[in-house]
Amino acid sequence: MKTNARVRLLASTLLMGAGFVAAPGQAQVIAQDQAVEQTNSDGTPVTAESSQGDIVVTGTLIRNPNLVSSSPVAVVGREELTLRQTNTAEEVLRQLPGAVPSIGTAVNNGNGGASFVNLRNLGSNRNLVLIDGKRIATAGLGGQTDLNNIPLALLERMDVLTGGASTSYGADAVSGVVNFVTRSDFSGVDASASQQISQRGDGNYFRADLTIGANFDDGRGNAVFSVGYQEADPIYQGDRPYSSSTISSTTGRAAGGSPTSVPTSLAIAGQSGLLQVNPGSNLLVTPYQDFNFSPYNIFFTPFKRYNMYGSAHYDVSDTVTVYTRGLFSKNRVSTIIAPSGIFGEALTIPGNNPYLPAGIRDQLCSAAGIALGATCNSSTAIPLPEVYRRTVELGPRISEYETTLFDYTAGVRLNLTKSMSLDVYGSYGESQNTQTQSGYVLKSRVQQALNATNTTTCTVTTNGCVPLNLFGQAGSISPEQAAFLNGQSTITTKTQLSQVHALLNGDFGFASPAASTPISFAAGAEYRDYGAQRIPDAYALVPGELGGAGGPVLPVNGGFNVTEFFGEVIAPLVEDKPFFRSLTVEGGIRQSRYKIDATGNPSFNATTWKAGGSWEPIADFKLRGNYQRAVRAPNISELFAPVSTYLVNLTVDPCAGTAPSSNANLAAICLAQGAPAAVIGSIQNPASGQPNATGGGNPNIRPEVADTFTVGAILTPRTLVEGLTISVDYFNIKINQAITEATPADILAACFGNITAASATSTACTSIRRSTTTGRLSGSSATVAGLPQPLTNLGRIATDGIDLGVDYRRDLGFAKLNLNFQGTWTNSNTFQASPNSVARECVGYYSANCLTIQPKFAWNQRTTLTFGDVDLSLLWRHIDTVRYEPGLTPLFSGVITGNTSIAGQNWNFNRIKAYNYLDLGTRIRAAENFEFTILVTNLLDKQPPIVGSNAGSTSYNSGNTYPSTYDAVGRGFRIGGRIHF
């Protein structure tokens, strides 16, 4: 007989195991909904069923609820989601101590209309997202699952497993798995609505859900259907004092952040740097006015979603159960950024253009070697080598991403014997994301509009051409001119996933001589077929055609399929013996065969395996460990994306400034990369900190291989401290043959790290290409390739650290107390693009190389007091101190200057102090069938840290801060109500 204490300890492994979950499980919310122990009143474990009636145990394919995998699994329960007033799964997951922010609602420039999770900061493409243990159609070419499509209203819990899980679930589960488990056998009606708004009166967010379910045919079947609607308004950076002006991270001056400004700037031959149209609009002078793009950008992306989820299961007989599940979601995410314009494009203008001032015309002709006078005045094409003009008259650039997803599953479960079952299902899903870009200047129409000799008609009159005034001040482009320049572009991305899965589950009918629980197994086969297409329109195809779109978008059509065979076993070796309350071992293996839909039909094999075990010497203490070999197969983007030019992030260019003037070898390198001799000594850093880079997919890429190791302990000292559970786990993940491209710093270091006379002819240097006019690494994507970023299997990624979880529950008499602590200490997270690159440490640092922020130590601590029908709960989130990446040129430190409301404040952009946030909430069960929740987020209204606009990547360093990591909105209020019958 197994004691209740042991059952509680085994089940607590599921919840406290990883110890890193920022959002605690159900147990920390209200006492009567205790779920940490996952037990029934008689001490037997809860059989966690999905809405299709299947037992779901994350981390293993074995469905015996009495056996627990040695992999750490942590749970965020439904009660916690309610208390947080969560609108999307991404909001919770990015606040996990063991995760870092990925693309989500706080990412504007760089958001592709989807939200992802990034466990252990190993990349959103290295973890797997499931619903009830099953994959759904992916979003986009990168193979990630869009969290915007998860049906939160029907969730029972979110299981988060960190470390490799490829043996159980197949490729992609390198850093872990997030499994969304739906509510089982729901019967009744559940209606809920919530509203949230910031203290400043913006960021309005409304959400409503309705769920209806019923059992039928004397309980032999159950069906449930849930619908939901959400709508969110944007929060503009211009509405917060710390983000209303673009502040340089290197100078601390708020003077605008982009040379694509108004009036027009030009780069012309023989001239170092840019020249800008003067206030009198009659000469080109030294630049005096950059563009402040911050007020147009947003901290919170507008969002609208309609979703439906339905599932049913029916016992045809005692041995046959059929089940089905359908998911439909249609959502729209909008990104809003500063106006379009002309971003360094090469154009021409006739000498007799009516808007071309005579003084500027003569300057242009002199630079181009065209004789002044009649020759210049009558020239039909005076060159404009690089043109920069922000078309504020068109308004902001808006990209609307409309995603439609459906995913359908149907299956049958056969109870072959009392202890053996067979589950077979098929699934098909599609996702279509349509990006509509508006407010963009069309380069071809700019050139057409410049080819004019009077103010009313163009030389070529097609499309209703209106001559363009390129040399005036803001507002000089008339509404008619703006309408002609304005273009709308559409890019459609489609993905498909077909699956067939068969799983035999049971036990061998015998146990170890020293145990009573039979040895259990799972074995099966799976087939998955992935396909994806990207279909850009004619405007998106042409480099530089859409002003400020970052480069061409080329078509993609690719796919691959995989056939897999797998097996797992869990064997209790010893039970209920002195010093061996339990001793269990487990193992598993999966063999995969991939076939790529490419020329030559390339294929490859991959083998994953795992081995682990747990030892429970006494009822209150348990040790566990797990070692896994995991793989990640290349996704469709990595296999099939065409080579193109795009934008990356870089603060300092080695060729910028005066250094090449006094270093002949450095100057030779800059010249070899395409910089003209006239600009040596005056080259500028990349515009807005965004150089060009060129890269693409590679059909010869092979899977990356990871070795993951976890070891930990769970302590439940009931005789000493009743209600206390402590878990601690060490994790270690190493990824070899990682599919990577070099960071901008790596690319520059390979060339400029050890400069010699031979450097100028080395491939590492000559493969970097500059503007042949300005020498910059930025410019038109049609002419400036920038930094080379080919994909390889040469990378290595490694991380390790410790997860700690503490849960304490006590009845105080007048109230019930629940304390929960979940924290992660990350010792290291290194990335090495190739054996010759530096092993870059990113834990505790931020930069353009490290992308999002991963603090050394992060924790969540929740304190809940339950007074009868009222819960009062305080959530404390801690983010440790982080610093700018060492070895790079330091950022600004001092008094901020320029046109900003925070001018005069003293900031050190090289360090962000530790941050602590408090969220205070209450839930009141006002009646048997009605409850409401009130939540105040960022209770102390803390201002985010200021680091300037170009300290890190464009996606995560926005509005002079890191809005995905730190609260850039300020204090907010949320209220929700729920009726259930």
Side-chain angles (χ1 to χ4, degrees):
M1 294 292 293
K2 290 177 278 293
T3 64
N4 288 349
R6 176 176 172 243
V7 173
R8 285 196 296 269
L9 187 57
L10 281 171
S12 68
T13 306
L14 283 171
L15 191 64
M16 298 299 297
F20 77 96
V21 171
Q26 296 167 326
Q28 74 179 74
V29 181
I30 59 173
Q32 58 260 47
D33 281 332
Q34 297 291 351
V36 170
E37 297 179 350
Q38 293 278 292
T39 58
N40 295 311
S41 58
D42 61 356
T44 59
V46 171
T47 55
E49 294 187 352
S50 70
S51 57
Q52 298 102 64
D54 187 24
I55 294 173
V56 179
V57 181
T58 302
T60 178
L61 297 174
I62 294 173
R63 296 294 182 256
N64 186 341
N66 294 300
L67 297 176
V68 178
S69 169
S70 61
S71 297
V73 179
V75 175
V76 180
R78 178 162 47 96
E79 301 295 338
E80 175 67 15
L81 297 176
T82 300
L83 196 61
R84 284 184 177 234
Q85 293 289 289
T86 300
N87 294 307
T88 63
E90 181 266 338
E91 292 180 19
V92 174
L93 291 171
R94 69 174 144 106
Q95 293 181 354
L96 303 180
V100 299
S102 185
I103 300 299
T105 57
V107 173
N108 180 38
N109 193 349
N111 190 322
S115 295
F116 307 126
V117 60
N118 185 355
L119 299 178
R120 303 295 190 203
N121 199 17
L122 296 178
S124 61
N125 57 348
R126 292 188 175 91
N127 43 236
L128 185 61
V129 174
L130 309 170
I131 297 181
D132 295 326
K134 300 177 177 67
R135 298 175 185 241
I136 64 172
T138 59
L141 307 180
Q144 305 101 318
T145 299
D146 184 2
L147 298 176
N148 290 334
N149 297 316
I150 301 300
L152 290 184
L154 203 58
L155 288 189
E156 181 65 30
R157 67 179 199 264
M158 296 191 307
D159 292 353
V160 184
L161 179 153
T162 58
S166 294
T167 303
S168 296
Y169 300 111
D172 305 328
V174 171
S175 61
V177 169
V178 179
N179 189 15
F180 295 93
V181 181
T182 57
R183 298 162 70 176
S184 63
D185 288 333
F186 177 83
S187 180
V189 177
D190 192 312
S192 63
S194 64
Q195 189 88 29
Q196 71 182 58
I197 196 168
S198 78
Q199 181 170 291
R200 278 74 178 175
D202 51 11
N204 181 64
Y205 201 130
F206 174 75
R207 175 188 168 193
D209 296 279
L210 174 65
T211 303
I212 302 174
N215 297 313
F216 57 90
D217 198 7
D218 295 327
R220 295 177 64 184
N222 175 267
V224 63
F225 182 70
S226 181
V227 295
Y229 172 78
Q230 296 183 37
E231 184 171 3
D233 294 336
I235 296 177
Y236 284 88
Q237 294 178 5
D239 293 333
R240 297 296 185 271
Y242 38 80
S243 57
S244 59
S245 296
T246 306
I247 302 174
S248 168
S249 296
T250 56
T251 68
R253 179 172 173 78
S258 172
T260 304
S261 187
V262 57
T264 299
S265 293
L266 299 168
I268 57 179
Q271 176 67 47
S272 62
L274 300 179
L275 296 175
Q276 190 169 24
V277 175
N278 68 352
S281 299
N282 57 7
L283 286 174
L284 296 176
V285 298
T286 300
Y288 57 92
Q289 184 169 290
D290 279 349
F291 184 74
N292 180 22
F293 51 78
S294 287
Y296 299 89
N297 287 359
I298 54 179
F299 277 134
F300 193 90
T301 55
F303 178 61
K304 182 180 289 187
R305 180 177 79 167
Y306 305 88
N307 64 280
M308 295 185 290
Y309 179 91
S311 65
H313 61 89
Y314 181 70
D315 297 335
V316 177
S317 67
D318 291 341
T319 58
V320 179
T321 299
V322 293
Y323 61 91
T324 185
R325 179 197 75 187
L327 169 66
F328 174 84
S329 177
K330 183 176 182 178
N331 64 72
R332 179 180 298 167
V333 175
S334 298
T335 62
I336 305 171
I337 57 178
S340 179
I342 309 167
F343 290 76
E345 299 298 333
L347 301 167
T348 62
I349 189 169
N352 58 351
N353 182 291
Y355 293 114
L356 177 60
I360 295 178
R361 180 185 60 206
D362 289 348
Q363 287 178 287
L364 295 175
C365 285
S366 296
I370 301 173
L372 299 183
T375 303
C376 174
N377 299 347
S378 62
S379 174
T380 59
I382 299 174
L384 306 174
E386 289 188 15
V387 179
Y388 298 84
R389 209 289 190 176
R390 185 75 61 163
T391 51
V392 293
E393 295 85 355
L394 272 67
R397 286 168 284 172
I398 299 176
S399 288
E400 285 194 348
Y401 299 89
E402 186 171 279
T403 300
T404 302
L405 175 139
F406 78 86
D407 196 273
Y408 182 75
T409 299
V412 58
R413 282 189 296 273
L414 306 174
N415 294 323
L416 304 178
T417 67
K418 185 177 180 180
S419 61
M420 189 176 299
S421 65
L422 176 66
D423 185 354
V424 180
Y425 71 82
S427 178
Y428 180 76
E430 289 185 3
S431 175
Q432 177 172 306
N433 177 288
T434 300
Q435 177 190 5
T436 302
Q437 302 177 98
S438 58
Y440 280 80
V441 168
L442 300 178
K443 173 188 172 183
S444 59
R445 293 199 176 187
V446 170
Q447 183 61 75
Q448 184 182 355
L450 288 177
N451 290 331
T453 58
N454 62 71
T455 60
T456 58
T457 58
C458 306
T459 303
V460 177
T461 60
T462 56
N463 300 313
C465 180
V466 180
L468 172 65
N469 181 4
L470 185 65
F471 302 97
Q473 304 298 308
S476 60
I477 296 179
S478 69
E480 294 76 17
Q481 293 172 357
F484 173 70
L485 300 179
N486 194 355
Q488 180 172 291
S489 176
T490 301
I491 303 166
T492 299
T493 302
K494 301 178 181 180
T495 63
Q496 307 86 34
L497 173 59
S498 303
Q499 305 177 74
V500 179
H501 181 99
L503 177 65
L504 182 66
N505 217 303
D507 62 58
F508 291 104
F510 61 86
S512 164
S516 59
T517 302
I519 299 172
S520 294
F521 73 90
E526 183 172 354
Y527 174 81
R528 299 190 304 276
D529 192 333
Y530 295 85
Q533 303 82 39
R534 185 171 66 195
I535 309 166
D537 66 8
Y539 290 145
L541 281 169
V542 180
E545 177 64 11
L546 295 167
V553 177
L554 303 179
V556 172
N557 187 2
F560 65 89
N561 63 73
V562 55
T563 302
E564 299 180 314
F565 299 92
F566 49 83
E568 292 186 30
V569 62
I570 297 181
L573 300 181
V574 183
E575 292 178 326
D576 297 316
K577 299 295 190 293
F579 300 107
F580 285 92
R581 299 291 292 180
S582 72
L583 178 63
T584 302
V585 296
E586 65 177 275
I589 190 168
R590 178 178 292 247
Q591 181 67 35
S592 306
R593 174 71 171 176
Y594 289 85
K595 295 183 179 180
I596 311 301
D597 298 336
T599 303
N601 298 313
S603 62
F604 53 84
N605 297 324
T607 302
T608 65
W609 53 270
K610 67 176 182 178
S614 62
W615 173 41
E616 185 185 346
I618 59 175
D620 296 344
F621 183 67
K622 181 178 182 178
L623 295 171
R624 63 184 171 195
N626 190 289
Y627 186 92
Q628 300 213 23
R629 167 64 57 89
V631 300
R632 184 182 75 86
N635 56 51
I636 289 177
S637 177
E638 292 164 336
L639 289 168
F640 296 101
V643 174
S644 64
T645 299
Y646 44 86
L647 298 178
V648 291
N649 293 99
L650 180 70
T651 304
V652 177
D653 175 1
C655 285
T658 60
S661 299
S662 57
N663 186 328
N665 289 336
L666 175 59
I669 294 173
C670 304
L671 291 168
Q673 293 172 349
V679 303
I680 296 299
S682 61
I683 295 173
Q684 297 180 9
N685 285 312
S688 303
Q690 294 180 303
N692 291 357
T694 298
N698 181 352
N700 296 314
I701 287 289
R702 292 297 177 259
E704 53 190 28
V705 179
D707 293 304
T708 72
F709 172 66
T710 61
V711 61
I714 304 174
L715 177 66
T716 55
R718 297 180 337 277
T719 56
L720 298 175
V721 185
E722 183 68 30
L724 176 66
T725 302
I726 301 173
S727 72
V728 59
D729 286 276
Y730 170 78
F731 62 88
N732 188 300
I733 303 173
K734 295 178 181 178
I735 305 173
N736 294 306
Q737 302 170 34
I739 303 171
T740 60
E741 68 270 343
T743 68
D746 290 335
I747 297 169
L748 293 180
C751 170
F752 297 96
N754 183 26
I755 297 176
T756 66
S759 297
T761 58
S762 69
T763 302
C765 288
T766 57
S767 61
I768 298 173
R769 304 313 301 165
R770 298 177 176 274
S771 165
T772 56
T773 303
T774 65
R776 273 181 161 179
L777 291 172
S778 57
S780 171
S781 60
T783 58
V784 182
L787 306 175
Q789 283 193 317
L791 274 182
T792 73
N793 274 119
L794 300 177
R796 186 179 188 275
I797 305 171
T799 185
D800 72 306
I802 296 174
D803 295 322
L804 174 65
V806 181
D807 190 85
Y808 177 66
R809 302 175 306 283
R810 183 174 181 180
D811 191 338
L812 302 176
F814 67 92
K816 293 179 180 179
L817 174 67
N818 192 329
L819 301 174
N820 184 277
F821 175 92
Q822 306 287 344
T824 293
W825 175 78
T826 305
N827 177 54
S828 176
N829 189 327
T830 59
F831 166 76
Q832 190 173 13
S834 70
N836 297 323
S837 300
V838 63
R840 177 166 282 103
E841 176 64 72
C842 280
V843 172
Y845 302 116
Y846 57 94
S847 70
N849 300 312
C850 292
L851 302 181
T852 190
I853 288 178
Q854 183 178 24
K856 195 80 170 177
F857 193 23
W859 75 66
N860 285 12
Q861 193 280 317
R862 184 179 284 282
T863 300
T864 301
L865 285 170
T866 300
F867 304 89
D869 291 330
V870 178
D871 304 319
L872 184 64
S873 191
L874 182 71
L875 177 63
W876 170 22
R877 294 190 295 115
H878 173 82
I879 304 169
D880 208 8
T881 300
V882 293
R883 294 174 173 81
Y884 191 60
E885 183 184 352
L888 303 181
T889 303
L891 302 179
F892 171 79
S893 179
V895 177
I896 293 178
T897 59
N899 185 22
T900 171
S901 59
I902 63 172
Q905 294 184 13
N906 198 306
W907 284 91
N908 180 2
F909 292 173
N910 298 283
R911 179 180 182 273
I912 299 176
K913 67 179 182 180
Y915 262 67
N916 295 280
Y917 291 104
L918 298 177
D919 298 340
L920 179 63
T922 182
R923 185 175 68 165
I924 302 173
R925 287 168 290 281
E928 181 180 357
N929 299 319
F930 175 68
E931 63 184 48
F932 65 92
T933 305
I934 300 173
L935 177 65
V936 182
T937 59
N938 194 357
L939 182 65
L940 302 181
D941 198 26
K942 292 182 70 71
Q943 175 181 309
I946 305 301
V947 295
S949 63
N950 52 330
S953 72
T954 301
S955 295
Y956 299 105
N957 174 205
S958 179
N960 301 317
T961 187
Y962 276 81
S964 294
T965 302
Y966 304 96
D967 188 334
V969 175
R971 184 182 293 123
F973 304 95
R974 304 182 183 187
I975 185 169
R978 174 174 171 253
I979 300 174
H980 50 95
F981 301 99

